[in-house]
Amino acid sequence: MSLNGKTAIITGSNSGIGLGIARELARAGADVVLNSFTDRDEDHALARDIAAEFGVTARYIKADMSKGDDCRALITQAGTCDILVNNAGIQHVCPIDEFPTEKWDAIIAINLTSAFHTTAIALPMMRKAGWGRIVNIASAHGLTASPYKSAYVAAKHGIVGLSKTTALETAGQGITCNAICPGYVLTPLVEAQIPDTMKKYDMGRDEVIKKVMLERQPSREFATVEQLGGTAVFLCSDAAAQITGTTISVDGGWTAL
Ligand code: NAD
């Protein structure tokens, strides 16, 4: 599988799943554009490291995915976009009647509306090239719900709907749009929650992971960022050219329950 000559833009890619996907796309030969809302030396170093490791062009562009103008500027500044991975996302856990409005607005903006803006600017570029891949990172929460995650579940169901609509508007144009629905993935964000959860439940690391964190994931194993990256690479391959408007779960059986 070679993505040589393709440029991939991955939103929210200075850590976790976004970085994992960027690395696997680069391993497959794509030039990559990393993004987050910060502009630190270490952000640019991530791009330099990918370029050195995989022999591709890699850049880091600062853009805040909570702001429509920034979302659009990211794509314009990159100049070309063959592969768009809408990955940036945040979470807040709280009952609906106590959910802070500003948290609701931020989650909807970053997890859902940003993908509308980036897609709107990227599509004309993809149509001109006669080829494009849009991979939206939804969640098991794009297909099912959990209490206290109203904004996240609403945004993730929304991005599944946006993926289907984008697929219909691009069908037959060499462009596909799909949503990947991960279950629990071992990212630095999740790793950081393990020590506190161990204390709270007075359990060891393995017990906390299997009995508390992965309670809804029948495999009782985390998905990895490399597996998410591999799924994204597959969706960019010729084998996936007729896969569009659908969801692919990488959730250890969560949504089969
Ligand atoms: P993470 O916190 O490691 O990564 C989130 C990324 O989004 C970071 O790079 C962060 O800098 C970026 N980001 C946050 N706000 C931003 C903003 N305003 N503008 C630009 N970038 C911004 O978390 P992750 O676990 O890697 O999550 C990545 C995506 O995967 C999210 O959409 C998340 O909902 C989804 N997801 C994660 C899991 C999981 O278990 N980790 C499961 C299902 C879905």
Side-chain angles (χ1 to χ4, degrees):
M1 173 66 219
S2 172
L3 295 174
N4 286 344
K6 306 291 190 201
T7 297
I9 304 175
I10 306 99
T11 71
S13 48
N14 66 352
S15 85
I17 294 171
L19 182 58
I21 290 176
R23 286 179 50 80
E24 294 311 308
L25 290 170
R27 193 190 303 280
D31 296 325
V32 294
V33 176
L34 304 183
N35 152 263
S36 186
F37 59 92
T38 50
D39 199 12
R40 305 164 303 181
D41 280 350
E42 58 252 52
D43 297 322
H44 295 273
L46 290 171
R48 284 197 297 274
D49 290 349
I50 287 179
E53 187 172 348
F54 301 112
V56 298
T57 301
R59 284 176 289 162
Y60 175 87
I61 298 178
K62 175 195 169 185
D64 184 342
M65 293 298 106
S66 69
K67 300 187 173 111
D69 288 349
D70 270 35
C71 297
R72 289 170 183 260
L74 168 65
I75 310 298
T76 310
Q77 214 178 313
T80 175
C81 181
D82 303 297
I83 297 165
L84 171 63
V85 181
N86 288 305
N87 168 78
I90 58 168
Q91 173 64 288
H92 187 73
V93 181
C94 185
I96 294 175
D97 50 330
E98 294 165 23
F99 211 94
T101 303
E102 63 275 14
K103 291 281 185 200
W104 172 277
D105 288 344
I107 289 175
I108 299 298
I110 295 167
N111 297 23
L112 175 59
T113 309
S114 67
F116 155 67
H117 289 295
T118 53
T119 300
I121 297 295
L123 276 184
M125 295 179 178
M126 292 179 176
R127 287 199 174 104
K128 204 169 163 199
W131 194 94
R133 295 286 184 269
I134 301 174
V135 179
N136 291 325
I137 305 307
S139 166
H141 284 114
L143 303 168
T144 183
S146 294
Y148 316 126
K149 295 184 177 176
S150 55
Y152 189 83
V153 169
K156 294 301 187 181
H157 275 68
I159 202 151
V160 169
L162 176 64
S163 306
K164 292 179 185 176
T165 305
T166 306
L168 294 181
E169 292 188 17
T170 55
Q173 297 169 21
I175 300 167
T176 70
C177 179
N178 295 287
I180 298 178
C181 296
Y184 242 117
V185 185
L186 191 52
T187 61
L189 197 85
V190 171
E191 182 70 46
Q193 295 168 23
I194 294 176
D196 279 352
T197 319
M198 282 167 64
K199 268 190 221 144
K200 187 174 168 195
Y201 289 92
D202 192 23
M203 288 178 180
R205 180 186 163 89
D206 288 352
E207 207 180 359
V208 147
I209 288 173
K210 287 197 166 43
K211 292 192 179 157
V212 181
M213 304 186 92
L214 295 177
E215 192 236 327
R216 293 179 71 180
Q217 202 145 303
S219 66
R220 301 283 187 268
E221 290 167 3
F222 287 113
T224 66
V225 299
E226 290 79 12
Q227 290 162 354
L228 270 302
T231 308
V233 169
F234 166 67
L235 285 172
C236 295
S237 72
D238 291 341
Q242 290 301 318
I243 299 176
T244 194
T246 194
T247 56
I248 297 191
S249 291
V250 184
D251 67 0
W254 178 334
T255 47
L257 277 173

